[in-house]
Amino acid sequence: MEYIDNLPAMDLMRSEKMTCVQLIIPVESAHRAISYLGELGLLQFRELNADKSPFQRTFVNQVKRCAEMSRKLRFFKDQISKAGLLISGHPGMQPDLELEELEIRLAEHEHELIEMNSNSEKLQQTYNELLEFKMVLQKAGSFLVPGKSPAVAEEVELDENIHSSDDYADTASLLEQEMRGTPVQSGVRCMCGIICKSKALKFERMLFRATRGNLLFNQAPTDVYISDPTSSEMVEKTVFVVFFSGEQARMKILKICEAFAANCYPVPEEINKQRQIIKEVSSRLAELEATLDAGMRHRNKALADVAFHLTRWMNLVRREKAVYDTLNMLNFDVTKKCLVGEGWCPISEKSQIQEALQRATFHSNSQVGVIFHAMDSVESPPTYFKTNHFTNSFQEIVDAYGVAGYQEANPAVYTVVTFPFLFAVMFGDWGHGICLLMLALFLIAREGKLSLQKLGSFMEMLFGGRYVILLMALFSIYCGLIYNEFFSVPFHIFGQSAYKCRDATCSDSSTAGLVKFRDPYPFGVDPSWRGSRSELPFLNSLKMKMSILLGVVQMNLGILLSYFNARFFSNSVDIRYQFLPQIIFLNSLFGYLSLLIIIKWCTGSRADLYHVMIYMFLSPFEDLGENELFWGQRPLQILLLLLAMVAVPWMLFPKPFILKKLHSERFQGRMYGILHSTEMDLDVEPDSARQLHHEDFNFSEIFVHQLIHSIEFVLGAVSNTASYLRLWALSLAHSELSTVFYEKVLLLAWGCYIFRYENLVIRLVGLAVFAFATAFILLMMESLSAFLHALRLHWVEFQNKFYHGDGYKFKPFSFAILTDEDD
């Protein structure tokens, strides 16, 4: 035991040692001190103002200002994105900018941009209206002047009153009257306008019903898409001309036009007036185009200037808001003119934090330094593991189940190896492993570029797990070499087969067997097993027994880690009444089964292990007969069965009663806790971490919990061992699927001598189908299935033996983490 205690500690085996600290910061240096701590990212602040609403806190006005600046920056970002401009990711070296100066600049830019947008919208709306009017003049002329095509209409410009149709409607005359030259007044009027083509049919029907058919409706589609003045969307429109009679009909038509968002424009019946208006409209359109282009260039120039500084401004505002949010978590002492804060930090990093606080005091020209000291706390400290690019993804796999308690044994240390290995046991094919390896190497080679890009959710998941994929690929190649499968095809890589044909008909392996004539194949499965009539029984037996061995080893590792947890926390009760009965129970049954498997492999015995294990419970005193693997097996089985039966009550009853006894002794004066002085108790803040909370001991609750835990372990020992058989099942499924795709698709198109397809197209189609099936079914779906099953084996079968996962992550105040989350 002394040797174990003297071993150097692993970096990831236990979380970093944490300490609760208190900071007393003068007001004049508070902002700079918090900023320096944010750059360092090693201190997690506690919320000391939980009873106050956000609007009752000290720095609420500063937070509001930062939120308003964030809104303006989001507005700029949206406008830059709509304009199709790029935001500078690295603005380069620029002078420092104060928050007040930035606030003024943002207000100026926003006012300027809003004014430019407003002017641009007005001009664009006028331009769209003129363009519509031009189309109406061109198309409606053909209905008002017989024999005139809209193409004759020339480009024009409109005078100011383009919407007032009273001048034309009151003086307009019908074409027939003009042709006859008789100025006879008629009650027939016309109304011209433009409407979306999708609404034209409904519009015509509504007009017909509203006027009881007393109208003449003509329409002509526009040649180009026109921007709608109200929605600014490019739509296909139709010009219409309605002939009607009476003021009442006119009012109805106007209301229907308004309901259908149809725009009406005045079109005179006289050709000279039409030509004159067309010229005016064309001239006005040309002027507006030049004005809009100049305004767009000016707007883009202003947006480009903002885009160059936008990333830096957003980072500055984000940091300032985070600083003030953190300051709001501290207690503000008006009399002492200081802020009091509490938090957690790693013990090994205290010197860096003290150095940062000293720099903050010096740079803020404060006469009083920041007081930084450790304090006692009854709260469990946060869990903090120092990870790198390689170990971080494995730690995330463990944390997805639950964050380790403070100083609890970390499963990620073993998950780095066991997770990709169990995946490879189910995915073993060195051809498929090479494909995964190429993907992993690609992601690692482009690590620098991909880390700076904004990826989709799927690609981000792949990139984050690039090192997991790398190890899964390497272990898949290793297991594939053991299974001797390359896209389901065996190869004689490590020498010749140990088997040869029994006779000349051996080529038909389904009817004639093979005989062994030399030493066993040196590594992995002999390639001669592939295609033989005993292939499936042999591989099933091999993989099933291997799955049980791997499962028992990993479960024993989990129970062993529970011992190291109990020893680390000096919990002798868990060692004596939890670890010992659990290790005895598991190995009395399934450890013994693993021993039988290894002995059977080494001796070549034909003993039926199913029979041995079943009758170990049903008839433990019965003679084993031909199923006996070694001398003294029957007495050993009886002993192991008795040990398993004793382990269950050993695990269930002693622990609750011993805990009750220890609790009663503690409060009878036989065991003494830490005595606190009266001065210490009086100094305790209301929300301070020093407050102690005592919980009553509930024996019935403890006993029920132990009962549930014992039943779970006993039943789980059986179900978890059976669960490891998924290694065999998925490995078999992967191998059979790969064989089907190879033999029924690729060989059928390329190498089948029965059908003899000589057509190149058929061969290429067969190759494409095989590649598609391999990529999307075997490499994607099967790899995802194996990944999820390996995840289940670690979360349930392995971690439930020792891992509580009831801790919480160390989340320091850090500008780096803040930037990553926002990106």
Side-chain angles (χ1 to χ4, degrees):
M1 293 301 177
E2 293 181 0
Y3 173 76
I4 295 177
D5 293 336
N6 293 329
L7 287 175
M10 290 189 193
D11 288 339
L12 276 177
M13 185 62 186
R14 305 284 175 187
S15 60
E16 293 289 320
K17 292 183 179 180
M18 310 293 289
T19 181
C20 185
V21 296
Q22 186 179 56
L23 298 89
I24 302 176
I25 312 173
V27 174
E28 61 270 15
S29 61
H31 182 277
R32 195 177 294 272
I34 299 299
S35 298
Y36 286 0
L37 291 176
E39 293 174 359
L40 196 60
L42 291 173
L43 183 64
Q44 175 180 331
F45 287 92
R46 294 180 65 245
E47 176 62 80
L48 301 182
N49 295 315
D51 56 333
K52 295 181 181 179
S53 69
F55 300 100
Q56 295 175 330
R57 306 202 176 191
T58 308
F59 300 94
V60 60
N61 293 328
Q62 288 83 346
V63 173
K64 288 181 180 179
R65 288 172 56 195
C66 292
E68 179 63 19
M69 285 189 283
S70 297
R71 182 197 61 78
K72 293 176 182 178
L73 290 170
R74 288 194 300 270
F75 170 70
F76 294 151
K77 187 176 182 180
D78 184 57
Q79 293 295 312
I80 292 170
S81 176
K82 288 181 179 178
L85 301 176
L86 295 178
I87 299 174
S88 176
H90 303 280
M93 297 298 295
Q94 296 178 5
D96 292 335
L97 194 65
E98 295 295 332
L99 193 65
E100 291 75 11
E101 183 183 350
L102 176 61
E103 189 175 14
I104 297 172
R105 290 184 64 177
L106 292 181
E108 293 174 353
H109 283 298
E110 185 188 30
H111 177 72
E112 180 186 7
L113 191 57
I114 289 176
E115 189 175 356
M116 286 191 292
N117 287 343
S118 177
N119 294 334
S120 177
E121 288 174 3
K122 292 178 181 178
L123 291 174
Q124 189 66 43
Q125 184 175 2
T126 304
Y127 178 84
N128 293 338
E129 291 174 352
L130 289 173
L131 188 59
E132 282 189 349
F133 188 50
K134 179 181 177 182
M135 298 302 300
V136 170
L137 288 170
Q138 291 176 347
K139 298 293 182 180
S142 61
F143 300 122
L144 300 177
V145 182
K148 284 287 182 182
S149 170
V152 205
E154 302 170 3
E155 295 187 349
V156 279
E157 167 92 356
L158 173 68
D159 70 341
E160 296 177 357
N161 249 343
I162 61 174
H163 283 294
S164 105
S165 58
D166 297 331
D167 296 337
Y168 295 116
D170 296 336
T171 60
S173 60
L174 293 178
L175 185 61
E176 290 81 2
Q177 296 173 351
E178 187 176 337
M179 297 286 293
R180 291 195 300 266
T182 58
V184 180
Q185 293 293 331
S186 171
V188 179
R189 301 181 182 183
C190 72
M191 185 178 294
C192 304
I194 192 167
I195 191 173
C196 291
K197 189 175 181 180
S198 60
K199 302 178 181 178
L201 183 59
K202 296 178 181 179
F203 179 66
E204 182 180 1
R205 289 178 179 174
M206 183 61 71
L207 289 175
F208 185 83
R209 292 171 182 171
T211 59
R212 300 177 183 272
N214 295 319
L215 59 80
L216 179 62
F217 185 86
N218 291 316
Q219 60 178 338
T222 56
D223 299 329
V224 294
Y225 283 82
I226 301 177
S227 177
D228 189 82
T230 55
S231 64
S232 300
E233 294 181 358
M234 299 299 293
V235 292
E236 189 176 3
K237 294 200 171 186
T238 298
V239 176
F240 65 87
V241 178
V242 183
F243 295 94
F244 60 94
S245 175
E247 182 65 22
Q248 188 176 4
R250 177 176 173 273
M251 296 303 296
K252 289 182 179 180
I253 294 173
L254 286 175
K255 289 181 179 180
I256 294 172
C257 289
E258 183 180 357
F260 279 84
N263 300 320
C264 297
Y265 298 95
V267 179
E269 295 178 2
E270 298 179 5
I271 299 177
N272 292 334
K273 288 185 177 181
Q274 290 182 14
R275 291 177 178 176
Q276 180 183 358
I277 295 175
I278 288 176
K279 289 181 181 179
E280 293 176 0
V281 170
S282 296
S283 175
R284 187 90 177 270
L285 281 173
E287 291 178 3
L288 282 176
E289 284 182 1
T291 306
L292 284 171
D293 289 342
M296 187 61 66
R297 287 194 298 271
H298 179 63
R299 180 173 176 271
N300 287 343
K301 183 179 179 182
L303 287 175
D305 181 58
V306 173
F308 181 74
H309 302 280
L310 187 63
T311 301
R312 177 169 167 266
W313 290 349
M314 291 181 71
N315 288 336
L316 176 60
V317 172
R318 190 184 298 121
R319 289 188 175 200
E320 289 296 321
K321 186 176 182 298
V323 168
Y324 286 117
D325 284 335
T326 304
L327 286 171
N328 278 333
M329 298 170 66
L330 311 182
N331 278 332
F332 186 66
D333 191 337
V334 182
T335 58
K336 298 180 182 178
K337 296 293 184 181
C338 63
L339 290 165
V340 179
E342 296 178 4
W344 296 96
C345 72
I347 293 178
S348 59
E349 310 294 346
K350 285 179 63 177
S351 58
Q352 294 189 43
I353 296 174
Q354 290 173 338
E355 181 184 352
L357 294 175
Q358 290 172 2
R359 283 192 292 111
T361 302
F362 177 76
H363 292 158
S364 59
N365 298 321
S366 176
Q367 299 298 323
V368 182
V370 180
I371 300 175
F372 176 80
H373 63 90
M375 59 181 292
D376 297 328
S377 174
V378 295
E379 290 185 8
S380 177
T383 302
Y384 175 47
F385 292 106
K386 288 184 179 180
T387 58
N388 51 35
H389 291 299
F390 181 81
T391 59
N392 182 65
S393 52
F394 294 98
Q395 189 64 55
E396 290 296 327
I397 290 175
V398 174
D399 290 345
Y401 174 81
V403 179
Y406 179 63
Q407 294 276 285
E408 183 180 11
N410 185 17
V413 177
Y414 307 95
T415 302
V416 171
V417 175
T418 59
F419 184 85
F421 177 71
L422 292 184
F423 169 88
V425 171
M426 296 178 276
F427 195 75
D429 187 302
W430 61 280
H432 298 155
I434 290 174
C435 296
L436 283 183
L437 181 62
M438 292 171 63
L439 172 63
L441 293 178
F442 169 78
L443 294 174
I444 294 172
R446 299 183 62 87
E447 182 175 340
K449 294 182 179 179
L450 292 176
S451 61
L452 299 176
Q453 297 179 6
K454 194 169 185 178
L455 306 174
S457 57
F458 179 73
M459 279 301 299
E460 186 177 359
M461 179 184 66
L462 280 182
F463 178 71
R466 57 195 179 278
Y467 291 107
V468 179
I469 299 175
L470 174 66
L471 288 187
M472 291 193 307
L474 294 176
F475 278 111
S476 295
I477 294 174
Y478 171 73
C479 290
L481 291 173
I482 292 178
Y483 298 157
N484 203 346
E485 292 185 9
F486 178 83
F487 296 100
S488 79
V489 180
F491 282 87
H492 294 77
I493 301 176
F494 301 101
Q496 296 298 319
S497 171
Y499 299 90
K500 66 177 181 179
C501 296
R502 186 187 300 272
D503 50 36
T505 63
C506 185
S507 58
D508 185 7
S509 58
S510 62
T511 58
L514 300 171
V515 292
K516 186 175 182 180
F517 74 103
R518 65 171 66 177
D519 293 335
Y521 194 67
F523 184 83
V525 176
D526 195 302
S528 295
W529 286 105
R530 177 66 63 182
S532 66
R533 59 186 176 184
S534 55
E535 173 193 4
L536 201 57
F538 169 74
L539 292 179
N540 277 345
S541 175
L542 171 67
K543 293 180 179 180
M544 180 174 62
K545 292 180 174 62
M546 183 178 65
S547 301
I548 293 174
L549 291 177
L550 293 175
V552 171
V553 169
Q554 190 173 33
M555 288 190 291
N556 272 289
L557 174 62
I559 298 175
L560 189 62
L561 288 176
S562 71
Y563 164 77
F564 287 110
N565 267 340
R567 182 174 176 81
F568 181 83
F569 294 112
S570 302
N571 192 341
S572 59
V573 175
D574 280 351
I575 295 176
R576 295 171 186 171
Y577 305 106
Q578 189 164 300
F579 164 72
L580 288 177
Q582 285 182 359
I583 200 78
I584 289 172
F585 181 85
L586 180 67
N587 289 288
S588 295
L589 303 180
F590 301 102
Y592 173 63
L593 175 60
S594 303
L595 176 65
L596 295 182
I597 291 173
I598 295 173
I599 293 175
K600 183 176 179 180
W601 278 351
C602 295
T603 60
S605 171
R606 294 181 176 273
D608 186 0
L609 299 186
Y610 294 106
H611 183 277
V612 172
M613 292 303 297
I614 291 173
Y615 282 92
M616 176 180 174
F617 295 93
L618 297 181
S619 302
F621 300 100
E622 183 181 338
D623 187 21
L624 296 175
E626 61 180 6
N627 292 319
E628 186 173 1
L629 289 168
F630 57 89
W631 179 86
Q633 182 177 353
R634 185 161 62 91
L636 178 61
Q637 288 186 174
I638 297 172
L639 176 62
L640 293 176
L641 189 59
L642 290 174
L643 287 175
M645 294 175 64
V646 170
V648 176
W650 185 3
M651 195 188 321
L652 172 60
F653 293 108
K655 184 177 177 180
F657 290 98
I658 292 174
L659 292 177
K660 182 181 179 181
K661 180 183 177 184
L662 292 175
H663 183 268
S664 61
E665 288 177 351
R666 181 178 296 113
F667 290 97
Q668 286 175 3
R670 300 182 186 176
M671 297 181 68
Y672 296 93
I674 301 176
L675 296 178
H676 297 276
S677 67
T678 307
E679 291 181 2
M680 180 182 292
D681 292 339
L682 291 175
D683 282 342
V684 172
E685 298 283 345
D687 297 317
S688 173
R690 297 183 191 176
Q691 286 184 304
L692 299 177
H693 304 278
H694 298 288
E695 295 183 0
D696 295 333
F697 183 82
N698 192 331
F699 175 75
S700 60
E701 183 179 345
I702 297 295
F703 187 83
V704 170
H705 179 270
Q706 188 65 21
L707 175 64
I708 294 173
H709 181 74
S710 302
I711 294 174
E712 280 184 349
F713 180 82
V714 172
L715 298 180
V718 180
S719 63
N720 293 167
T721 306
S723 183
Y724 277 94
L725 293 178
R726 70 184 69 232
L727 298 173
W728 156 49
L730 266 76
S731 175
L732 178 65
H734 184 83
S735 177
E736 291 300 313
L737 270 177
S738 184
T739 302
V740 167
F741 291 141
Y742 174 73
E743 293 181 354
K744 303 301 180 184
V745 177
L746 191 62
L747 286 186
L748 192 64
W750 283 75
C752 184
Y753 294 100
I754 300 176
F755 298 97
R756 295 184 180 275
Y757 292 130
E758 300 295 338
N759 193 333
L760 181 61
V761 175
I762 293 178
R763 292 188 172 186
L764 292 178
V765 168
L767 182 61
V769 172
F770 175 76
F772 177 86
T774 300
F776 289 95
I777 297 179
L778 294 177
L779 291 179
M780 289 185 63
M781 294 177 60
E782 280 289 307
S783 63
L784 179 61
S785 175
F787 182 92
L788 294 176
H789 283 284
L791 199 63
R792 146 78 195 231
L793 291 176
H794 280 78
W795 280 358
V796 179
E797 278 69 29
F798 173 53
Q799 292 180 187
N800 71 351
K801 302 295 185 296
F802 70 99
Y803 189 63
H804 296 288
D806 54 357
Y808 62 100
K809 266 189 176 183
F810 175 61
K811 295 181 179 179
F813 173 61
S814 171
F815 291 148
I817 296 177
L818 186 70
T819 305
D820 292 342
E821 289 178 352
D822 290 342
D823 291 343

